[in-house]
Amino acid sequence: MAIRNDDPADFGVALTMIRLLRGWGQVEIARASGLSVGSVSRYETGARRPGRPTVDRIARAAGISGPLVDSLLDWIREARSEVEGKRILPGLPSVVSRVLSPEPAKEAKKDVSQTLDALLSSFSRPLSASSLWSTERDPEPPTESPERDRNEARELWARLEPLDAGDRVLLVSEGTEYHRWALCELVCDRCLEAVTRPREALELAELAVFIVERIEGKDAWKRRLKGYATAHLGRAREAANDLLGAAKAYIRAQRLWDGGASADPGILNERRVKKLVPDLDALQQPRK
């Protein structure tokens, strides 16, 4: 489905309506759709406009279709253009109508009954458990196909790569699909490839650690994976000539890596970690 160019304020009204009709607070819709509460709040206030995948994720979580959300947005946009006053719009709760109608208005031309009937009908049916948790992820770490996860990670990285560091962090914080061990591993690979460009390498290492911190799974596996990412953070700091910061990262990496050994299915590159985490005295000498 094509990406729309709706006013962020229009989607904010639509999201608020959807959430209230489902009987959810921001926490509930954030959890069901795999977003942060902060992201939901920014969308509802119109501070940010979500992309198409996020709109579809919210729709699925609420148990409605993407086209129905589009119909609601179409009407909200037209209502904004038509309405000039504080008149209560037909078919809408007064609280939403007042948001849409800051000035006295003439009749809105579009008949909204079909859209609203479909919306209300959707919310008259309870969500199944599978719909409510449609964004639930497979447990970490993988148990069957690491290469499939790595292929998915390459697709995720293709979305992240064109962005600057701040936007990458924002996208990862909002989308649970980015909270994957294989994406962390791939970002670590990119960090080492960028080691001659210290600032870029550091941004990538910090992103890898950021991803790990959002992965759901067994604590031991998360320690192992975070140890892996933190070893790369140490290397990036060393490349930036932050030797004290590098030493701290290496110490933490070794502790995390060893602490998670029992949960590692053997998919991470142990030889790399051993090579990255040096005898700390060696930090006094430049790497070859």
Side-chain angles (χ1 to χ4, degrees):
M1 190 176 297
I3 296 175
R4 296 166 57 102
N5 192 33
D6 295 292
D7 187 323
D10 294 345
F11 184 79
V13 173
L15 177 55
T16 301
M17 290 179 65
I18 291 167
R19 175 173 63 78
L20 292 176
L21 287 170
R22 180 52 67 193
W24 283 345
Q26 290 184 344
V27 172
E28 287 81 6
I29 198 166
R31 183 181 178 191
S33 57
L35 300 172
S36 68
V37 177
S39 294
V40 170
S41 177
R42 287 191 290 272
Y43 292 146
E44 288 195 359
T45 60
R48 293 194 70 240
R49 182 177 63 209
R52 186 73 228 183
T54 301
V55 174
D56 290 340
R57 185 187 305 136
I58 291 170
R60 286 194 303 271
I64 61 177
S65 69
L68 182 54
V69 176
D70 291 340
S71 295
L72 182 60
L73 286 168
D74 287 340
W75 181 79
I76 290 172
R77 184 179 63 250
E78 185 162 331
R80 272 193 196 280
S81 67
E82 294 286 344
V83 174
E84 300 173 355
K86 295 183 179 180
R87 182 181 59 82
I88 302 300
L89 295 176
L92 278 180
S94 61
V95 62
V96 177
S97 182
R98 283 195 293 271
V99 170
L100 296 175
S101 323
E103 302 292 339
K106 55 187 177 181
E107 276 302 316
K109 294 178 181 177
K110 188 170 182 178
D111 181 6
V112 300
S113 61
Q114 185 174 359
T115 294
L116 293 176
D117 284 348
L119 188 66
L120 292 171
S121 176
S122 296
F123 288 112
S124 69
R125 301 187 297 271
L127 286 176
S128 65
S130 60
S131 295
L132 182 58
W133 306 118
S134 60
T135 58
E136 186 174 356
R137 291 159 285 165
D138 295 331
E140 293 269 3
T143 55
E144 295 181 358
S145 180
E147 286 311 310
R148 180 194 63 191
D149 293 337
R150 288 181 171 122
N151 287 336
E152 291 176 354
R154 283 188 279 272
E155 294 176 2
L156 293 171
W157 177 245
R159 304 180 202 168
L160 292 171
E161 188 174 17
L163 306 178
D164 63 29
D167 286 340
R168 287 173 182 170
V169 169
L170 183 60
L171 192 57
V172 168
S173 69
E174 293 182 351
T176 56
E177 69 266 34
Y178 295 96
H179 304 173
R180 299 288 186 170
W181 74 268
L183 180 59
C184 171
E185 180 189 57
L186 180 57
V187 172
C188 286
D189 292 344
R190 296 295 181 265
C191 169
L192 289 188
E193 292 170 4
V195 77
T196 57
R197 303 182 297 279
R199 179 177 177 179
E200 181 181 347
L202 188 58
E203 289 173 346
L204 289 165
E206 290 172 345
L207 178 63
V209 173
F210 187 79
I211 292 169
V212 177
E213 290 171 344
R214 279 145 187 81
I215 289 175
E216 293 181 358
K218 295 181 179 179
D219 288 342
W221 166 244
K222 289 182 67 175
R223 284 196 296 272
R224 189 72 162 179
L225 186 58
K226 192 169 184 178
Y228 187 83
T230 305
H232 290 77
L233 177 61
R235 182 68 184 97
R237 287 178 176 175
E238 184 182 348
N241 205 32
D242 177 11
L243 300 188
L244 178 59
K248 290 179 178 178
Y250 286 138
I251 292 171
R252 180 166 173 75
Q254 190 68 65
R255 183 170 66 249
L256 289 165
W257 179 258
D258 292 343
S262 63
D264 188 353
I267 57 177
L268 298 175
N269 190 337
E270 185 170 8
R271 287 191 300 174
R272 180 189 291 183
V273 174
K274 290 180 178 179
K275 184 177 180 180
L276 284 174
V277 180
D279 178 347
L280 296 182
D281 289 340
L283 285 180
Q284 304 305 316
Q285 301 296 326
R287 291 232 187 185
K288 295 182 179 180

